Amino acid sequence: MNNFFKIVAITLSLWTLSSSAQVTTTPPVSDSLQVMTVNDYDKLQNFEVSPARYTAHNKGKFYIFWGGNRGSFTKSDIHFRGNDYDFTLENVAADDKPKGWHIDYINPARMTIPQTNLRIGYFITDKYNISIGLDHMKYVMRQNQVVDFKGHYPNEGSYNERPNNIANNEIQLTEDFLTFEHTDGLNYINTEISRVDDISKLFRINNTDKIQINITEGVGGGIIFPKTNTKLLNKERYDEFNVAGFGLSAKAGLNITFLKYFFVQAELKGGYINMNNIRTTDSRSDKASQDFFFLERVIAFGGIFRI
């Protein structure tokens, strides 16, 4: 009988231990799930956000450039008026005065001698910028050309301006009669609003921080502030700065930016200039007026940066 109770007690003990093991045992986690969890954790630990390229966004950047230009001008009628004269020269031709590739472009003491361009701008968005600049062009009337003439002036025929081989309504622009140029210069001080678009992908350029290709276009307007060099009807030569009129312009260009901060830019700029207050002598009663269209070809070098 005692043996029977011993057997029952052992059986109950084994059953209790078995039940306890089933409750506390946690099902094993598969090896593959453990590996994935560790890998995902490592990826999260090593994950870094790649910074945007400097050239990816322009908003808030400033830029400045300096360069040179060549200019072309349409023919224009020039009206001269004073106390004892009032006449118009019709379809007068003029040219620019290029310096070519010269050290004067980077010589601070002689920078106004060549035809130059200076511009400073700020990007208000990634694509649009506003700027202010000086287009220092040069305008030189072709000497000794024969043009149509109407009006009157004193001592007609005494300036070698009417040779026998020209018609009565024509006049030859001799040095004794007139020298006329805006050579220091035809200064167009203007503001512009421009758009810039990155077209680097067209050339399969991925890292635009090394080299970036952009197209740009814009419109502008401003004042004409020439230093007109004039000698009229044997009067004393006059050569002073004066606000003479206004200008309007539009442009398109190609910009190549390299190493994030430096660029070269080529532009074609066309526009209209109207000068109704050109000083020709020391007397304020002596004035001239003209208007014409112009075409400017610009090559400039500059930098773009954040402050």
Side-chain angles (χ1 to χ4, degrees), residues 93-299:
D95 303 294
D96 66 346
K97 192 177 182 180
K99 186 77 173 181
W101 294 97
H102 201 279
I103 192 66
D104 284 352
Y105 282 97
I106 55 174
N107 182 347
R110 298 175 63 85
M111 279 183 168
T112 61
I113 294 177
Q115 300 174 179
T116 53
N117 297 74
L118 172 66
R119 185 160 298 278
I120 300 172
Y122 175 74
F123 277 89
I124 54 176
T125 71
D126 282 345
K127 292 185 179 294
Y128 287 94
N129 68 81
I130 55 176
S131 64
I132 184 169
L134 168 63
D135 293 24
H136 179 72
M137 298 177 279
K138 293 181 183 288
Y139 176 103
V140 182
M141 182 194 75
R142 292 179 192 170
Q143 207 66 57
N144 294 315
Q145 64 180 299
V146 176
V147 299
D148 289 339
F149 162 87
K150 60 183 179 182
H152 66 89
Y153 57 91
N155 304 316
E156 291 190 25
S158 63
Y159 308 101
N160 299 314
E161 81 281 14
R162 290 190 178 275
N164 295 329
N165 60 338
I166 65 173
N168 290 334
N169 63 330
E170 293 180 331
I171 196 169
Q172 186 172 19
L173 303 181
T174 62
E175 289 188 9
D176 290 337
F177 179 76
L178 174 68
T179 59
F180 184 79
E181 54 187 54
H182 312 290
T183 46
D184 199 22
L186 183 62
N187 299 310
Y188 176 36
I189 303 171
N190 61 90
T191 58
E192 287 183 350
I193 181 165
S194 303
R195 178 185 170 102
V196 175
D197 290 282
D198 181 2
I199 59 170
S200 302
K201 289 183 179 179
L202 297 179
F203 300 91
R204 299 183 179 179
I205 297 172
N206 295 319
N207 188 352
T208 53
D209 278 358
K210 290 184 176 179
I211 186 168
Q212 183 184 44
I213 300 178
N214 305 289
I215 56 172
T216 180
E217 55 280 329
V219 294
I223 64 170
I224 307 299
F225 188 59
K227 191 176 184 183
T228 304
N229 186 340
T230 307
K231 187 176 180 182
L232 172 66
L233 303 175
N234 272 336
K235 296 177 184 286
E236 186 177 350
R237 186 177 74 88
Y238 187 79
D239 186 15
E240 296 295 338
F241 287 107
N242 175 56
V243 177
F246 70 91
L248 301 170
S249 58
K251 72 174 187 181
L254 181 69
N255 170 290
I256 300 176
T257 299
F258 52 94
L259 301 179
K260 299 192 291 188
Y261 304 108
F262 310 100
F263 66 84
V264 58
Q265 185 161 309
E267 294 180 351
L268 277 177
K269 178 184 288 188
Y272 171 72
I273 286 175
N274 185 307
M275 294 185 286
N276 60 4
N277 185 39
I278 303 170
R279 295 287 303 278
T280 57
T281 74
D282 220 11
S283 172
R284 291 191 173 275
S285 62
D286 294 322
K287 293 183 179 180
S289 60
Q290 67 177 143
D291 65 294
F292 52 84
F293 292 94
F294 72 93
L295 178 65
E296 202 179 351
R297 286 88 71 195
V298 180
I299 296 180

